[in-house]
Amino acid sequence: QVQLQESGPGLVKSSQTLSLTCTVSGTPITTINDYWIWSRQTQVKGLEWMGAIAYSGSVSINPALRSRTSISWDTGRNEFTLQLTSVIPEDTGIYYCTRGDYDRDMTGSWGQGIQVTVSS
């Protein structure tokens, strides 16, 4: 059974960089045709796809967030990470990691989510 668990700070200050990690168990993140996705639920935009890293290591990012967002992985730890720079209070929300069959597929296994608050 595939399980995903988000971790990271629950509180960050405006202008700082948010770093979140998703730890995956039950399957290698390099499994062919698996995509590892970050999304968030905010008051401003609702559920928003942020980006994904594929089983091959290729990354796709929401164009609206591209200037501030990066996604990487550590295959040895079976983890993938999200970095969001220059955070603002509107970035406050619940951040999720998900497994999907393509980069925007959020119908697979989800982590429980992590609440992130950006203080002004």
Side-chain angles (χ1 to χ4, degrees), residues 27-82:
T27 189
I29 58 175
T30 54
T31 299
I32 290 176
N33 294 333
D34 277 348
Y35 289 76
W36 304 98
I37 299 155
W38 284 103
S39 62
R40 64 181 182 176
Q41 179 83 35
T42 67
Q43 284 194 335
V44 176
K45 293 195 174 181
L47 184 63
E48 181 180 32
W49 175 79
M50 300 186 72
I53 185 164
Y55 59 96
S56 60
S58 64
V59 175
S60 54
I61 303 291
N62 184 330
L65 298 169
R66 185 168 290 142
S67 64
R68 299 196 292 134
T69 302
S70 62
I71 296 175
S72 60
W73 67 359
D74 184 332
T75 57
R77 294 178 178 269
N78 220 42
E79 298 175 340
F80 61 107
T81 62
L82 170 76

Side-chain angles (χ1 to χ4, degrees), residues 9-26:
L11 179 66
V12 291
K13 296 182 179 179
S14 289
S15 80
Q16 290 186 338
T17 296
L18 170 66
S19 293
L20 297 175
T21 296
C22 182
T23 302
V24 179
S25 60

Side-chain angles (χ1 to χ4, degrees), residues 97-111:
C97 58
T98 307
R99 183 179 76 162
D101 291 335
Y102 56 94
D103 62 352
R104 297 192 184 222
D105 175 24
M106 295 191 289
T107 63
S109 302
W110 286 64

